[in-house]
């Protein structure tokens, strides 16, 4: 009877509900990360509006939360950056499609917590450690951890503004490399997965230089998703709604390469695709989920045998 009781206690202790675990993702960069899908300017009035069209891949889900401007967790819905990139008209971005894609492909993944931080029209120099945008992002990220969970990845889409000036374009790789290292150091997560987007467009003539800098970055646990070829709004700068959905799903697929599936797989780097930076995988998700269960198991066993 005693052995049966211990077995029941162990089962209850290890039966952690996936909804209790918050997987937090940082969404940072400029306008295409903030979301301009469906945002158009009336050629007659000059007024910019969002068409309000939300594709099913971006629908709300009780398991997808958003950290709002008041640092409160609320159910996520488009536009994700409506109160963050507040000086601009926001539309559909990649965040909701990313989150829904992960939940659809990984049963029991848990709650997805999105932390919008992107600001339209920003240069990489404005994201340097110590400057306003960096401080704002880190304050939001650290606040997102107050109720538990862990930072699972940084999603980064930026660089269009750095195509305007030749000096900015040439210094982009050095600056973005330092930015990624600073974020990891400040979050005390040296192997934090980073999924960056290679540009599909630019505000200036030096897009190819910035794109090549993005594709050439070589960091552990960095994966580059190429947006080139995705459809653009008439402005030629912002991704359309359908393109944002495609991008979000591509980023989701890239992230899931960091997450173990139910079928054991060898931890090897996948074959690099065209225009895709090499990825070195680190199976951090497994450790984050298993370690607390192991501690609980050992604790209960020690109580039983004392």
């Amino acid at each position: 009877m005693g052995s049966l009781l211990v077995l029941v206690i162990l089962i209850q202790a290890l039966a952690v509900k996936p909804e209790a675990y918050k997987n937090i993702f940082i969404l940072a960069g400029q306008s295409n990360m903030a979301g301009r899908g469906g945002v158009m300017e009336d050629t007659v009035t000059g007024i910019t509006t969002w068409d309000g069209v939300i594709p099913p891949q971006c629908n709300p889900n009780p398991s997808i939360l958003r950290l709002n401007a008041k640092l409160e967790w609320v159910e996520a819905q488009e536009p994700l950056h409506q109160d963050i990139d507040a000086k601009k008209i926001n539309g559909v971005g990649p965040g909701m499609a990313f989150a829904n894609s992960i939940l659809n492909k990984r049963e029991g993944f848990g709650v997805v917590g999105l932390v919008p931080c992107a600001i339209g029209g920003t240069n990489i120099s404005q994201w340097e450690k110590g400057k306003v945008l960096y401080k704002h992002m880190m304050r939001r990220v650290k606040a997102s951890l107050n109720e538990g969970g862990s930072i699972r990845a940084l999603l980064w889409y930026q660089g269009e503004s750095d195509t305007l000036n030749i000096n900015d374009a040439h210094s982009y790789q050095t600056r973005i490399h330092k930015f990624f290292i600073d974020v990891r150091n400040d979050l005390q997560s040296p192997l934090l997965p980073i999924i960056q987007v290679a540009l599909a467009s630019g505000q200036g003539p030096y897009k190819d230089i910035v794109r090549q800098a993005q594709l050439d970055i070589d960091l552990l646990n960095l994966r580059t998703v190429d947006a080139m070829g995705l459809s653009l709004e008439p402005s030629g700068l912002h991704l359309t709604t359908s393109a944002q959905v495609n991008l979000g799903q591509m980023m989701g697929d890239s992230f899931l390469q960091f997450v173990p599936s139910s079928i054991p797989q060898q931890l090897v780097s996948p074959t690099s695709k065209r225009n895709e930076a090499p990825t070195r995988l680190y199976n951090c998700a497994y450790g984050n989920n298993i370690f607390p269960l192991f501690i609980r198991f050992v604790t209960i066993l020690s109580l039983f045998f004392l």
Side-chain angles (χ1 to χ4, degrees):
M1 185 66 180
S3 299
L4 180 60
L5 178 60
V6 171
L7 180 61
V8 171
I9 292 174
L10 288 175
I11 291 173
Q12 290 178 341
L14 294 175
V16 178
K17 295 181 179 180
E19 291 78 17
Y21 188 82
K22 192 182 284 100
N23 302 276
I24 300 172
F25 296 90
I26 308 166
L27 312 182
Q30 57 181 113
S31 56
N32 271 312
M33 176 57 81
R36 299 292 189 266
V39 174
M40 303 188 68
E41 180 179 346
D42 189 298
T43 55
V44 177
T45 65
I47 298 175
T48 301
T49 58
W50 174 47
D51 61 16
V53 176
I54 301 175
Q57 300 91 335
C58 300
N59 281 341
N61 183 321
S63 293
I64 304 175
L65 304 179
R66 176 181 79 94
L67 193 74
N68 65 18
K70 297 179 181 179
L71 305 180
E72 302 167 335
W73 285 112
V74 297
E75 186 171 322
Q77 60 181 356
E78 297 286 8
L80 287 177
H81 281 76
Q82 58 186 316
D83 56 350
I84 303 301
D85 194 16
K87 295 182 180 180
K88 309 287 177 60
I89 302 298
N90 293 276
V92 173
M96 287 299 291
F98 168 84
N100 275 310
S101 177
I102 290 175
L103 293 179
N104 289 337
K105 294 180 179 180
R106 282 293 188 275
E107 183 178 354
F109 184 76
V111 172
V112 172
L114 303 176
V115 183
C117 300
I119 302 294
T122 52
N123 187 285
I124 186 60
S125 63
Q126 295 176 265
W127 288 91
E128 290 177 2
K129 181 175 179 176
K131 293 190 176 180
V132 173
L133 292 181
Y134 188 91
K135 290 179 178 178
H136 179 252
M137 177 183 68
M138 295 308 298
R139 181 175 69 91
R140 288 180 53 73
V141 172
K142 290 176 180 179
S144 73
L145 295 167
N146 288 340
E147 297 177 12
S150 66
I151 308 299
R152 300 301 300 276
L154 165 66
L155 310 187
W156 177 259
Y157 190 172
Q158 188 276 335
E160 293 92 344
S161 294
D162 294 88
T163 66
L164 288 165
N165 181 284
I166 186 66
N167 293 325
D168 286 343
H170 281 306
S171 64
Y172 189 84
Q173 187 170 348
T174 299
R175 287 173 166 174
I176 191 62
H177 186 278
K178 184 178 185 302
F179 170 77
F180 289 153
I181 296 299
D182 286 339
V183 170
R184 284 176 166 176
N185 287 341
D186 285 346
L187 294 178
Q188 298 180 4
S189 181
L191 291 174
L192 177 72
I194 298 171
I195 302 170
Q196 71 160 346
V197 180
L199 296 181
S201 60
Q203 291 178 271
Y206 304 110
K207 177 185 69 180
D208 290 342
I209 297 176
V210 175
R211 268 181 53 81
Q212 196 58 51
Q214 294 168 330
L215 295 168
D216 288 345
I217 295 174
D218 185 17
L219 277 176
L220 288 169
N221 284 10
L222 168 72
R223 189 167 185 80
T224 302
V225 173
D226 198 346
M228 182 60 73
L230 296 179
S231 59
L232 299 172
E233 298 285 7
S235 65
L237 181 62
H238 297 130
L239 298 184
T240 64
T241 296
S242 61
Q244 288 285 16
V245 170
N246 290 337
L247 179 64
Q249 293 173 336
M250 291 162 61
M251 298 179 83
D253 289 342
S254 290
F255 171 74
L256 288 177
Q257 294 188 37
F258 295 100
V259 181
S261 66
S262 57
I263 301 175
Q265 297 177 348
Q266 292 181 337
L267 288 178
V268 296
S269 297
T271 302
S272 296
K273 298 179 181 178
R274 183 179 62 86
N275 288 343
E276 202 168 72
T279 304
R280 297 186 181 92
L281 298 183
Y282 169 67
N283 200 344
C284 57
Y286 183 79
N288 286 342
N289 290 326
I290 283 297
F291 187 70
L293 299 181
F294 175 75
I295 292 298
R296 187 174 297 187
F297 178 79
V298 171
T299 301
I300 292 174
L301 278 182
S302 64
L303 290 175
F304 174 72
F305 287 110
L306 287 177

